[in-house]
Amino acid sequence: MKRFKLSQVSNLMWFMFIMFSFAVGLATYVVHQFHASFNWPTAKGMVVNSWIIERYHERSSADSHYEVAIEYFYAVDGKIYHKSNKTDITGAIPGYSIEEAEALVAEFPSDKKILVHYKPSNPDTAVIKPTMHLFMIVMLVVFSLVLIPVCYVMYLQMTSAADSFIVRNV
């Protein structure tokens, strides 16, 4: 049976292991929350207002994207909640094209009755359009694929002789 020598693992490998483990954990949590929002209970609500916010990219003032904010009320167990954050639509703040932003605002006009998906353990956390963002799934896969070779190199460092190439140079 091989003996593991943790002291042979380089600081760089420990740093990469910690960073990518944290990234995988965070991405897993976010994907889980997005997925869970599809099964959250719903409450009746009403749109108060919706609007488009134009944002410019820092590097180029010619390129812009748009964010949509929707103000709405809903009630859970007799308590009224008021939401107006941009993240209260889908759970994230995606950048939309002007056409997508206008379509989303048109979908939620003032005084429209809506169903609000709220988190049972915290009804103040809610979305009106549960969405699974492909970007988060891709990031989870990418971080996981980077973490696998990091773990393998750490394994090689722990099980190799102290004077081997993998211990001395990685």
Side-chain angles (χ1 to χ4, degrees):
M1 183 169 152
K2 289 188 178 183
R3 198 176 156 106
F4 294 105
K5 299 173 198 139
L6 293 176
S7 61
Q8 291 185 174
V9 177
S10 67
N11 289 337
L12 173 65
M13 295 311 297
W14 279 116
F15 176 76
M16 290 177 64
F17 175 75
I18 290 168
M19 294 306 295
F20 283 104
S21 295
F22 177 77
V24 167
L26 181 63
T28 302
Y29 173 77
V30 170
V31 167
H32 172 70
Q33 288 298 338
F34 279 126
H35 185 265
S37 69
F38 285 96
N39 298 318
W40 286 350
T42 58
K44 293 180 182 177
M46 187 171 74
V47 175
V48 176
N49 194 10
S50 57
W51 62 94
I52 297 172
I53 303 164
E54 186 173 10
R55 300 281 186 208
Y56 293 98
H57 293 285
E58 294 176 12
R59 295 187 182 129
S60 170
S61 61
D63 294 329
S64 61
H65 71 277
Y66 300 87
E67 296 172 358
V68 176
I70 299 175
E71 180 180 7
Y72 60 94
F73 291 95
Y74 63 100
V76 176
D77 296 330
K79 184 174 180 184
I80 296 175
Y81 295 90
H82 172 250
K83 305 298 273 184
S84 62
N85 294 331
K86 294 180 287 293
T87 59
D88 297 332
I89 301 168
T90 63
I93 306 175
Y96 298 104
S97 68
I98 187 65
E99 295 82 14
E100 293 169 327
E102 288 172 345
L104 193 55
V105 167
E107 185 180 346
F108 296 102
S110 296
D111 299 326
K112 179 178 181 179
K113 296 197 181 341
I114 57 173
L115 282 179
V116 178
H117 297 256
Y118 65 91
K119 189 174 184 177
S121 61
N122 182 13
D124 193 40
T125 301
V127 295
I128 56 177
K129 276 186 88 166
T131 306
M132 181 61 76
H133 292 277
L134 181 62
F135 174 76
M136 292 311 301
I137 295 171
V138 169
M139 293 314 298
L140 175 60
V141 170
V142 167
F143 290 145
S144 297
L145 289 176
V146 171
L147 186 60
I148 291 169
V150 167
C151 290
Y152 180 68
V153 170
M154 289 178 73
Y155 168 78
L156 290 177
Q157 286 182 332
M158 287 187 284
T159 58
S160 297
D163 61 345
S164 67
F165 176 81
I166 193 98
V167 174
R168 288 183 289 118
N169 298 310
V170 178

